[in-house]
Each structure stands twice: as structure tokens, then as C-alpha cells.
Amino acid sequence: MKHIHTFLVLLLFSLTCTHSGFASHLFGGDLRYEYQSSNGSNHTYKIILIAYGDCNGSAFTLLSSGSATVNIFKNGQLYNTTPSLYLSLIPAQSNIEITPVCPDEAGNTACSYPSTGTLPPGVLPGIKKFTFEGTVVLDGAATWQFSFTGNLGTSTAGRSNQIQNLSPVGTTGLIATLNNSKGQNSSPNFTASPTPFFCVDKEYTYSLAPVDPDNDRMAFSMAPAMDGAGNSTYIAPYTSSRPFPAFTGSFNFNATTGEITFIPVNPQDQSTFRSIVANKAFEIRNGDTVGTCMREMTFVFLNDCNNSAPIDSLSNVENGSVINRQVIQACEGQTDTIRFRINTRDPDGDNISVSWNNLPTGAIARVVNDSTPDPTFEFEWHINDSVPTGDYTFYITLVDDGCPLSVQKTLSQTISILPFQGGLSSGVQAPCKGEGNGFAWLQQASSDTNTYRLAWTDRRGDTLQKTNSRTGDTLFNLSPGTYYATATNKNGCSKLFTIEIPEPIYGIVITAPDTTGCVNDQFLFTNASFGEWSRFTWNFGDGSAPSGQTNAFHTYTHEGVFTVTLYGSTPLGCKDTASVNIYIDTIYTPTFTTDKDSICTGDRIIFYPDTGPHVISAYWIWGTLPDYNFQPDNSWHSFDQPGHYPVILHVAYRNCPEAEYRKTVHVLPYPVADLGPDSSLCLKGEALVLRNTALDQVAGYRYQWSTGDTTEQILAREPGSYGLTVIASQNCHTTETVTVRKDCFLDIPNSFTPNGDGINDYFFPRQLKGKNIIHFRMQILNRWGQILYETENTNGRGWDGKRNSHDQPAGAYLYIIEVMVGGQRIEKYTGNVTLLR
């Protein structure tokens, strides 16, 4: 490490000498602004002044308690709302030392000691940064100017009176402009700290390292160094564009990056040469300048200084074209990784620390062998077709550890994504399902007359097709997947088109609100297909003509199950179908038959229904009474009253309308048969006349007597049961029975038991005693004809089984009974009676 303490002490002394009119305490400053917010036509901005203070300046201590004043102009006139804006000191961003000293000399600068006017021997000069801010509301859109004229509140921004390129030296003056008629704007931020100390005969790069928050395109110029009154007077041969001495051919200003490269010289015999250097940054948006800002800095050239700046070189560039050390170009639309290295080396063997800022989004940087004499900066950025065209500038800062003052070198590096500037557009056609007949194309606009080299590749990188064309190209026979088309123009700039052949997304879909119906119903079939189709054809499945309608109506005229099919064809010729079954029922009228048309009251009639197909429910109505207990085979019913009854069969069908069938059942009454009460007759007397005495006899009745007679009346001559069946129509019949008992006769038992038990002890015909008996005579004879007992008394007890008080033996005995009934006839009864013991 090099030690130049004696020289720097002289430097420190020379820098503290002041101009007679102003207190010297500034090395330079920045003026810029930041957009904050808008409320209608009012726009709030923050104005920022950064002052770089000389720690040994005579008024340096006033910076920590001061303020700054900025004058505001609108369209060239003082802004009548806020003509002067007072900027307040921001403590957190102020009193920050930026002296470029090596680590061994940290703490040995003028900034480390109280400002007493006298510093210890060997103390180095020091620089501190102070930030002042204030906000202003700008009304409307206009051309605005913010001017700093050197007013720092308690002091003025005095330059050193040792400045050798200006006369008079004056104070620091800075201007920033805004044109917010093109939209609101913020100034770029100068990210490189100023390094005002340079060794004579050594090559240097001075950079602002600007970063614009709005991503506007920037341009730069060497600006006049104005004093507080706006004057700028250079001492020949120095001008604003060549403000300091440099070896012939070594001075270069890059208007694109704002960088100055030079080899300083000192044309005087004194130990230092001091110059004021001013730079202006322009922001350009859509071709219009929307703002400017400035930095002013004191350059100090040192004799007898041997610390050289680090040397850098660009190498190992991949996927980009090197325009120069600062610019690498790539083409829009490529999908590659840009890589490069910046190799650094310190000529003096000092260690170099590497840092960077404002890398493009997604870029990766790293340093190999950092803090050594030869670190390497490595850069990677994977770009793709979503990266917009434009310049992406970032900054690499190299700081050596040379002592006592280190060298800081900021490099700008730009990745320029060039527009392809071609009139090509891509398109695809998906294949048919399960096929590989898709295709992709690049179509060239009619206004594009370039000839392109076109190359098609698949995901494996295999080349599928190459051609040179001025109209485009098509790649056929493709399956779903990813394909790439690279178009290269005459300048060698390529654009990669990533083309996805999608899976075929199409399908025939039928939506049928109803799939069941009845003959002559109208059906709506909705085509709900998705995808791109060129033709549809409907087949309704019933032999009718196909239809080319998108949505279709159809009526079926006969019963059956019909398959409706929709056929579709895409513009590529892909085909697809969909089907739906339609169930058509015929209209059916139910019927029923009976086992008879007429029945007698109370008889059962059987009904045999014929309901037809597709029945969902059925029921009977017998007269007025519903009967839901329907039997599909047969049902029976009886009626308890005569009459004419409507019988209805009601049927509900699956698809067709409900229907019913009715038939009248005739229920006939039974005829009335009445033979009167039971009667009696006398044997051998007059016969009884038996006939139907009912009042409702109808002509046409038929009669059937139990005797076999079929006449309306008969004569009963014998006792017994007589039955009459009266038969009406439909064989409805009623049977009446009458009993005819014998009368005018005796009832003669056939046995008796004369044992004295009080039961059946006597034989006498008295249990059914005859009526009108006038004469009675009974004789009992044994088997030999002997009369054992005889009586004519009708009131006696009868034979007691004795003869002359002697019991007769058990056995059969003959009885002879004669009676006269009613004085008209004599009846004689002869028979046997058994005596039981």
C-alpha cells in the first residue's frame, strides 16, 4: 500500500483556502425530485438536494444545522404559490462520510476531528454527504424548474477559491426540470458516490451510476457549471464539455451511460489541479424529455500519486453480441441464458472489493476471489420471450484498498434486448383426437419484405424442417406438444417462437330436455357441442331425412325407441358424434270385457282389463265409488242394489295422455215370491191352492215348483214342504217355501213304557190332538186278536198296558182307531204299537 501523507497535507491546506466572498465548504452536490401522489390536478413532489461537504471547510459545521432553498418556476415564471421551497436537513441521511480512504486510514480524515481550524499532522481530507428534502404541491401540468442558487440557510454553497477552470469561482448552482404534461415523473438516483481524487497519469472512469424508477430511457451531457446567479464562465481552454486537462485522446464522454473516461494531467507546477465538473441526466419517454437533474463535483488531480485504478476486461460472453465492453446485445424472443465475466486486476497489487446494483430482474451475479488483487465478476440472466425489449443497465463498483486514498471505479454494463422488428405471427391447428394431423405456421405480414431463415425443432432439439422464406412456413403432421420455430433475419437477430400444439378440445354434445314422449309430440334437440365446427348433421333414427340445423325440432309419428345421432366435422376434417335414445309411446285407449253384461243384484261380475303398454297407474270407478286396488289380470265387483251402473277404467301412461274406458253394467232385481204363511189341510179333504201372492209380479216370470210343476199355481193335497222358484230375466230367481201340515187327524205314537215313571206310561193319540173330532173309538188287540182294551172316551188316559189289571208282556200290539171328523167323514187308523218294559 502506498503512503503519500506529505502530499495530502499540502492538499488539505490548499482545499481549505477560500474565495474572499464565500465560505468554502462544498465539493459538489446533486439536485433531483421524486413524485409522491396526486389529488385531482394537484401533484405532490419531494425535492431533494444532496450536498457533498468539505469536512475542513470554513463553514462546514453550518451544514449540520442548516437548510436549503430551492426556487420554483412554472412555464418560466416564478411559481406564485410556492416561489421558494425550504428543504429541511434529513438527519438519518446526513453527516455520512464518503471519503475514499483505505481501511488503514479510516478515522484519519478531517471528518474525524472537530473543526478547530488546525488539524494534526498527517490528517487526510474528508467528505461528508448531507441530504435536504422538502415537498411542494404543483398545480396542473406544465414545464417546471427547480433551481438551487447556493442558499444553505446560515451559509452559502461556496466552492474552493483554488478552482482552476472557472472565474469567478462563485457558489454551487444546480437545476432540475420536470415536464409533467407527459405524465408524472421521478428523477434518476445517482447510485455511485463521487470520488473526486485522481492521480495524474493514471486512467480513470467517472460514473453517476443512474437508476431511474420509471424505467425511462436516459441520456447524459456535460453541463455548464453555473454559479448561484446562473453564470458559467470557463477559463480557456476549458469548457463545459472539456472541463479539465487530460492527455490527448484519453478523454471520452459517453452520452448514453454518462461515464467519463480520462487520463488526468497537471499543466501547472503546483501539487494539485482542481476543476468543477457538472453532468446533466435527461429522461426520455416516448420521444419526449420529461425531466432533467444535475450533479456537480470538484475533481482534484494529484501529482506524485501512484495509485492506479483497477483494470477490467470482458470475457466468456455467451448468447449475446458484444458491442463494446459496456454493451452486450441479445435479440427479443430468444430463450437463452446470457453469461459473461468481467475480469479485474489491480496494477498496484491492491485488493479489489466488487459490488453491484440495479441488476435486471431475475439476473444472478457473484464474485470469485473477492477482496483479492484479481477478483472476477460473473453474470447470468436467463431471458425468454416475455422479457420486453430495451436497455437493462446495471453497475459494478470496484474499490481498491490503496492507501491512503483508495480508488473507486464504477462500471456500467448494459444488456440491450433488441426488437426483432419482424412481421411474423404464429398460429396452430390442433389435431384430431388420437391423430397426428395438427399443424403450426409462421405467417409473414404483407408489409414485411424480409427474407427469414426459419428452423423448426421439437422439445428434444431435433430439427424438423428448415427453409428460407419471405411469406412464412407451415409444419404439418404434428401431435400435441411443444414445438419451436426460430426466425433469423438478415442481421442475424433471431426470434424464438414457442408453439404449443394443444390437445384437441372439441366434442359433440346433445342436450335433450325430454327423452321420452308420445306419438306426435315435438322434441327439441339442442346442439351443445364445443370447439370449432364447420358442419353438423342430425339423424333422428326414424327413417326421416337428415337435418343440417344447428339445433333441431322433430316429431315422431310412431312408437319405438329411436337413437338420435348428431354428426359433426371440424374445419380440419375431424369428426365426432353423440347419440341419445328417445322413447316414444303410442296413444292407447284402454278397454275391458266382462263375463256377463247383466247380473242379478248381489251377484259378482268379473272385469278383464286391457290397459295396453307402459302403464304407470290405473284404477276402477264402480258407479261413483273409486277403487284403487287395481289388478292387471282381472277384477270382480258386486252391486247390492239393482240399477244401471257406469263402470270406468282410468289409466295413466308413461308418456302418453291419461285415458279411460267406460261401460254400463245392468244390475237386475230379484223377483218376489210369496206363498203366504204355513198352512194345514185335512186328509182326504179339499186341496190347498198354492200360488205367488206377491204384488210385483211381472209378465214373463217363469215358475218352478218343487213338485216339478211349472204353472203359476198348484194344489196341495198332502202335508209337506212346498217350494216355488220365481225366475225373472237373466235367470234372477227367488225361492219361497211353505209348509202344509196335516190337520183333522190324530197323532198316534208307535211305542210306550207303562213303568210308572210318569213318562209315556199310556198309549193314547193325544200329543197332536185332532180338531173337530165328533166320534172316537180305539181298540187294542194282541196278536191273537183278543181285545185287550177298548174305549170311546176322548178324554181318558188311554191303555196302561194291562188286561184286567194284569200287566201285558212287552211286544207289539194292534191298534184300531176310528174317528169322525167334523161330522163329515170317518177316518180309520190301524197300526202297531210296541209295549216296552
Side-chain angles (χ1 to χ4, degrees), residues 646-682:
V647 175
I648 300 173
L649 173 59
H650 189 97
V651 183
Y653 291 96
R654 179 177 63 182
N655 297 312
C656 291
E658 296 183 6
E660 62 182 29
Y661 177 76
R662 72 172 55 214
K663 184 177 182 180
T664 300
V665 173
H666 304 282
V667 180
L668 304 177
Y670 283 101
V672 179
D674 186 3
L675 295 178
D678 290 345
S679 185
S680 60
L681 55 76
C682 294

Short mmCIF file of all heavy atoms in Angstrom, two decimals, residues 646-682:
data_model
loop_
_atom_site.label_atom_id
_atom_site.label_comp_id
_atom_site.label_asym_id
_atom_site.label_seq_id
_atom_site.Cartn_x
_atom_site.Cartn_y
_atom_site.Cartn_z
N PRO A 646 -122.49 -47.12 -14.36
CA PRO A 646 -121.33 -46.92 -15.25
C PRO A 646 -120.06 -47.43 -14.56
O PRO A 646 -119.76 -47.04 -13.43
CB PRO A 646 -121.29 -45.41 -15.46
CG PRO A 646 -121.91 -44.85 -14.21
CD PRO A 646 -122.95 -45.85 -13.77
N VAL A 647 -119.32 -48.26 -15.23
CA VAL A 647 -118.04 -48.74 -14.71
C VAL A 647 -116.95 -48.13 -15.59
O VAL A 647 -117.00 -48.24 -16.83
CB VAL A 647 -117.98 -50.28 -14.75
CG1 VAL A 647 -116.59 -50.75 -14.32
CG2 VAL A 647 -119.05 -50.86 -13.85
N ILE A 648 -115.97 -47.45 -14.93
CA ILE A 648 -114.92 -46.72 -15.65
C ILE A 648 -113.55 -47.31 -15.29
O ILE A 648 -113.24 -47.51 -14.11
CB ILE A 648 -114.94 -45.22 -15.30
CG1 ILE A 648 -116.31 -44.61 -15.67
CG2 ILE A 648 -113.80 -44.48 -15.99
CD1 ILE A 648 -116.49 -43.19 -15.20
N LEU A 649 -112.75 -47.54 -16.30
CA LEU A 649 -111.35 -47.92 -16.12
C LEU A 649 -110.49 -46.71 -16.50
O LEU A 649 -110.50 -46.28 -17.66
CB LEU A 649 -110.99 -49.11 -17.00
CG LEU A 649 -109.50 -49.50 -17.03
CD1 LEU A 649 -108.99 -49.85 -15.64
CD2 LEU A 649 -109.27 -50.66 -18.01
N HIS A 650 -109.78 -46.13 -15.51
CA HIS A 650 -108.93 -44.94 -15.74
C HIS A 650 -107.47 -45.37 -15.70
O HIS A 650 -107.02 -45.97 -14.73
CB HIS A 650 -109.19 -43.88 -14.67
CG HIS A 650 -108.52 -42.57 -14.97
ND1 HIS A 650 -109.18 -41.54 -15.57
CD2 HIS A 650 -107.25 -42.16 -14.77
CE1 HIS A 650 -108.35 -40.53 -15.72
NE2 HIS A 650 -107.16 -40.89 -15.24
N VAL A 651 -106.70 -45.01 -16.75
CA VAL A 651 -105.30 -45.46 -16.87
C VAL A 651 -104.40 -44.25 -17.13
O VAL A 651 -104.71 -43.40 -17.97
CB VAL A 651 -105.16 -46.48 -18.01
CG1 VAL A 651 -103.71 -47.00 -18.07
CG2 VAL A 651 -106.13 -47.65 -17.81
N ALA A 652 -103.29 -44.20 -16.38
CA ALA A 652 -102.24 -43.20 -16.62
C ALA A 652 -101.05 -43.90 -17.26
O ALA A 652 -100.59 -44.94 -16.79
CB ALA A 652 -101.83 -42.54 -15.30
N TYR A 653 -100.55 -43.28 -18.36
CA TYR A 653 -99.48 -43.90 -19.13
C TYR A 653 -98.16 -43.16 -18.90
O TYR A 653 -98.12 -42.01 -18.46
CB TYR A 653 -99.84 -43.89 -20.62
CG TYR A 653 -100.99 -44.83 -20.92
CD1 TYR A 653 -102.30 -44.35 -21.00
CD2 TYR A 653 -100.77 -46.20 -21.08
CE1 TYR A 653 -103.36 -45.19 -21.25
CE2 TYR A 653 -101.83 -47.05 -21.33
CZ TYR A 653 -103.12 -46.55 -21.42
OH TYR A 653 -104.17 -47.40 -21.65
N ARG A 654 -97.09 -43.83 -19.24
CA ARG A 654 -95.73 -43.30 -19.03
C ARG A 654 -95.53 -41.98 -19.75
O ARG A 654 -95.01 -41.01 -19.19
CB ARG A 654 -94.71 -44.33 -19.49
CG ARG A 654 -93.26 -43.89 -19.35
CD ARG A 654 -92.30 -44.99 -19.76
NE ARG A 654 -92.45 -45.33 -21.17
CZ ARG A 654 -91.76 -46.29 -21.78
NH1 ARG A 654 -90.91 -47.03 -21.08
NH2 ARG A 654 -91.92 -46.55 -23.07
N ASN A 655 -95.87 -41.91 -20.98
CA ASN A 655 -95.60 -40.72 -21.78
C ASN A 655 -96.83 -40.14 -22.44
O ASN A 655 -96.87 -38.93 -22.71
CB ASN A 655 -94.55 -41.03 -22.86
CG ASN A 655 -93.22 -41.42 -22.27
OD1 ASN A 655 -92.71 -40.75 -21.38
ND2 ASN A 655 -92.64 -42.51 -22.77
N CYS A 656 -97.77 -40.98 -22.74
CA CYS A 656 -98.96 -40.51 -23.46
C CYS A 656 -100.02 -40.04 -22.47
O CYS A 656 -99.95 -40.32 -21.26
CB CYS A 656 -99.51 -41.64 -24.34
SG CYS A 656 -98.40 -42.02 -25.74
N PRO A 657 -101.06 -39.34 -22.98
CA PRO A 657 -102.07 -38.80 -22.08
C PRO A 657 -102.85 -39.90 -21.36
O PRO A 657 -102.98 -41.03 -21.84
CB PRO A 657 -102.98 -38.00 -23.02
CG PRO A 657 -102.15 -37.72 -24.24
CD PRO A 657 -101.23 -38.90 -24.38
N GLU A 658 -103.38 -39.55 -20.22
CA GLU A 658 -104.25 -40.47 -19.49
C GLU A 658 -105.52 -40.75 -20.31
O GLU A 658 -105.97 -39.90 -21.09
CB GLU A 658 -104.62 -39.89 -18.13
CG GLU A 658 -103.42 -39.69 -17.21
CD GLU A 658 -103.82 -39.17 -15.84
OE1 GLU A 658 -105.04 -39.07 -15.58
OE2 GLU A 658 -102.92 -38.87 -15.04
N ALA A 659 -106.07 -41.93 -20.13
CA ALA A 659 -107.26 -42.30 -20.90
C ALA A 659 -108.16 -43.17 -20.01
O ALA A 659 -107.72 -43.71 -19.00
CB ALA A 659 -106.88 -43.05 -22.17
N GLU A 660 -109.45 -43.28 -20.43
CA GLU A 660 -110.37 -44.12 -19.68
C GLU A 660 -111.38 -44.77 -20.63
O GLU A 660 -111.60 -44.30 -21.75
CB GLU A 660 -111.06 -43.32 -18.59
CG GLU A 660 -111.94 -42.18 -19.08
CD GLU A 660 -112.56 -41.40 -17.93
OE1 GLU A 660 -111.94 -41.36 -16.85
OE2 GLU A 660 -113.65 -40.85 -18.12
N TYR A 661 -111.95 -45.83 -20.12
CA TYR A 661 -112.96 -46.57 -20.88
C TYR A 661 -114.12 -46.83 -19.93
O TYR A 661 -113.90 -47.18 -18.76
CB TYR A 661 -112.37 -47.88 -21.39
CG TYR A 661 -113.35 -48.75 -22.11
CD1 TYR A 661 -113.74 -48.46 -23.42
CD2 TYR A 661 -113.90 -49.88 -21.49
CE1 TYR A 661 -114.65 -49.26 -24.09
CE2 TYR A 661 -114.81 -50.69 -22.16
CZ TYR A 661 -115.19 -50.37 -23.46
OH TYR A 661 -116.09 -51.15 -24.13
N ARG A 662 -115.33 -46.66 -20.44
CA ARG A 662 -116.50 -46.85 -19.59
C ARG A 662 -117.49 -47.80 -20.24
O ARG A 662 -117.57 -47.87 -21.48
CB ARG A 662 -117.15 -45.52 -19.22
CG ARG A 662 -117.90 -44.82 -20.32
CD ARG A 662 -118.66 -43.59 -19.78
NE ARG A 662 -117.79 -42.67 -19.08
CZ ARG A 662 -118.18 -41.96 -18.01
NH1 ARG A 662 -119.42 -42.08 -17.57
NH2 ARG A 662 -117.36 -41.12 -17.43
N LYS A 663 -118.22 -48.47 -19.38
CA LYS A 663 -119.24 -49.41 -19.83
C LYS A 663 -120.31 -49.49 -18.76
O LYS A 663 -120.00 -49.42 -17.56
CB LYS A 663 -118.61 -50.79 -20.07
CG LYS A 663 -119.55 -51.84 -20.64
CD LYS A 663 -118.79 -53.13 -20.91
CE LYS A 663 -119.69 -54.19 -21.52
NZ LYS A 663 -118.93 -55.44 -21.79
N THR A 664 -121.56 -49.65 -19.18
CA THR A 664 -122.67 -49.70 -18.23
C THR A 664 -122.97 -51.15 -17.87
O THR A 664 -123.11 -52.02 -18.75
CB THR A 664 -123.93 -49.04 -18.80
OG1 THR A 664 -123.64 -47.67 -19.08
CG2 THR A 664 -125.08 -49.11 -17.80
N VAL A 665 -123.09 -51.41 -16.59
CA VAL A 665 -123.45 -52.73 -16.08
C VAL A 665 -124.90 -52.68 -15.60
O VAL A 665 -125.26 -51.77 -14.82
CB VAL A 665 -122.50 -53.16 -14.95
CG1 VAL A 665 -122.98 -54.45 -14.32
CG2 VAL A 665 -121.09 -53.31 -15.50
N HIS A 666 -125.70 -53.61 -16.06
CA HIS A 666 -127.10 -53.65 -15.69
C HIS A 666 -127.27 -54.63 -14.53
O HIS A 666 -126.99 -55.83 -14.66
CB HIS A 666 -127.98 -54.09 -16.88
CG HIS A 666 -127.79 -53.22 -18.08
ND1 HIS A 666 -128.35 -51.98 -18.21
CD2 HIS A 666 -127.08 -53.43 -19.24
CE1 HIS A 666 -128.00 -51.45 -19.36
NE2 HIS A 666 -127.23 -52.31 -20.01
N VAL A 667 -127.76 -54.14 -13.42
CA VAL A 667 -127.97 -54.96 -12.23
C VAL A 667 -129.49 -55.16 -12.08
O VAL A 667 -130.24 -54.18 -11.88
CB VAL A 667 -127.37 -54.29 -10.99
CG1 VAL A 667 -127.61 -55.15 -9.76
CG2 VAL A 667 -125.88 -54.06 -11.20
N LEU A 668 -129.93 -56.39 -12.23
CA LEU A 668 -131.36 -56.68 -12.26
C LEU A 668 -131.85 -57.04 -10.85
O LEU A 668 -131.13 -57.71 -10.08
CB LEU A 668 -131.63 -57.84 -13.22
CG LEU A 668 -131.11 -57.62 -14.66
CD1 LEU A 668 -131.37 -58.87 -15.48
CD2 LEU A 668 -131.77 -56.40 -15.27
N PRO A 669 -133.12 -56.70 -10.57
CA PRO A 669 -133.67 -57.05 -9.25
C PRO A 669 -134.10 -58.52 -9.23
O PRO A 669 -134.38 -59.13 -10.26
CB PRO A 669 -134.85 -56.11 -9.12
CG PRO A 669 -135.29 -55.88 -10.52
CD PRO A 669 -134.05 -55.87 -11.37
N TYR A 670 -134.19 -59.09 -8.05
CA TYR A 670 -134.74 -60.44 -7.88
C TYR A 670 -136.27 -60.35 -7.84
O TYR A 670 -136.83 -59.41 -7.25
CB TYR A 670 -134.24 -61.07 -6.59
CG TYR A 670 -132.82 -61.58 -6.72
CD1 TYR A 670 -131.76 -60.84 -6.20
CD2 TYR A 670 -132.57 -62.79 -7.34
CE1 TYR A 670 -130.47 -61.30 -6.32
CE2 TYR A 670 -131.28 -63.27 -7.46
CZ TYR A 670 -130.23 -62.51 -6.95
OH TYR A 670 -128.96 -62.98 -7.07
N PRO A 671 -137.01 -61.34 -8.45
CA PRO A 671 -138.47 -61.34 -8.34
C PRO A 671 -138.90 -61.68 -6.90
O PRO A 671 -138.15 -62.32 -6.15
CB PRO A 671 -138.89 -62.44 -9.32
CG PRO A 671 -137.72 -63.35 -9.39
CD PRO A 671 -136.51 -62.48 -9.25
N VAL A 672 -140.10 -61.24 -6.55
CA VAL A 672 -140.62 -61.50 -5.20
C VAL A 672 -141.53 -62.75 -5.26
O VAL A 672 -142.40 -62.85 -6.10
CB VAL A 672 -141.40 -60.30 -4.67
CG1 VAL A 672 -141.97 -60.60 -3.28
CG2 VAL A 672 -140.49 -59.07 -4.63
N ALA A 673 -141.28 -63.67 -4.36
CA ALA A 673 -142.12 -64.89 -4.26
C ALA A 673 -142.74 -64.91 -2.86
O ALA A 673 -142.03 -64.78 -1.87
CB ALA A 673 -141.28 -66.12 -4.52
N ASP A 674 -144.06 -65.06 -2.81
CA ASP A 674 -144.75 -65.09 -1.50
C ASP A 674 -145.86 -66.13 -1.56
O ASP A 674 -146.84 -65.97 -2.30
CB ASP A 674 -145.33 -63.70 -1.19
CG ASP A 674 -145.91 -63.65 0.21
OD1 ASP A 674 -145.81 -64.65 0.95
OD2 ASP A 674 -146.41 -62.56 0.58
N LEU A 675 -145.71 -67.24 -0.82
CA LEU A 675 -146.71 -68.31 -0.78
C LEU A 675 -147.61 -68.20 0.44
O LEU A 675 -148.43 -69.08 0.69
CB LEU A 675 -146.03 -69.68 -0.78
CG LEU A 675 -145.24 -70.03 -2.05
CD1 LEU A 675 -144.57 -71.37 -1.90
CD2 LEU A 675 -146.14 -70.00 -3.26
N GLY A 676 -147.44 -67.09 1.16
CA GLY A 676 -148.27 -66.93 2.35
C GLY A 676 -147.69 -67.70 3.51
O GLY A 676 -146.65 -68.36 3.40
N PRO A 677 -148.41 -67.68 4.66
CA PRO A 677 -147.90 -68.38 5.84
C PRO A 677 -148.10 -69.89 5.67
O PRO A 677 -148.82 -70.37 4.80
CB PRO A 677 -148.76 -67.82 6.97
CG PRO A 677 -150.02 -67.42 6.31
CD PRO A 677 -149.66 -66.93 4.94
N ASP A 678 -147.41 -70.60 6.53
CA ASP A 678 -147.61 -72.05 6.53
C ASP A 678 -149.09 -72.37 6.74
O ASP A 678 -149.81 -71.63 7.43
CB ASP A 678 -146.80 -72.69 7.66
CG ASP A 678 -145.30 -72.63 7.36
OD1 ASP A 678 -144.92 -72.35 6.20
OD2 ASP A 678 -144.49 -72.84 8.30
N SER A 679 -149.54 -73.50 6.20
CA SER A 679 -150.97 -73.84 6.24
C SER A 679 -151.14 -75.31 6.65
O SER A 679 -150.16 -76.00 6.93
CB SER A 679 -151.60 -73.57 4.88
OG SER A 679 -153.00 -73.79 4.94
N SER A 680 -152.41 -75.72 6.69
CA SER A 680 -152.70 -77.12 7.04
C SER A 680 -153.89 -77.61 6.19
O SER A 680 -154.63 -76.81 5.64
CB SER A 680 -153.04 -77.23 8.54
OG SER A 680 -154.17 -76.44 8.86
N LEU A 681 -153.98 -78.89 6.15
CA LEU A 681 -155.10 -79.48 5.40
C LEU A 681 -155.50 -80.78 6.08
O LEU A 681 -154.74 -81.35 6.88
CB LEU A 681 -154.72 -79.70 3.92
CG LEU A 681 -153.46 -80.54 3.59
CD1 LEU A 681 -153.68 -82.01 3.77
CD2 LEU A 681 -153.04 -80.21 2.18
N CYS A 682 -156.72 -81.15 5.74
CA CYS A 682 -157.25 -82.41 6.29
C CYS A 682 -157.10 -83.50 5.25
O CYS A 682 -157.30 -83.25 4.04
CB CYS A 682 -158.74 -82.27 6.67
SG CYS A 682 -159.01 -81.11 8.03
#
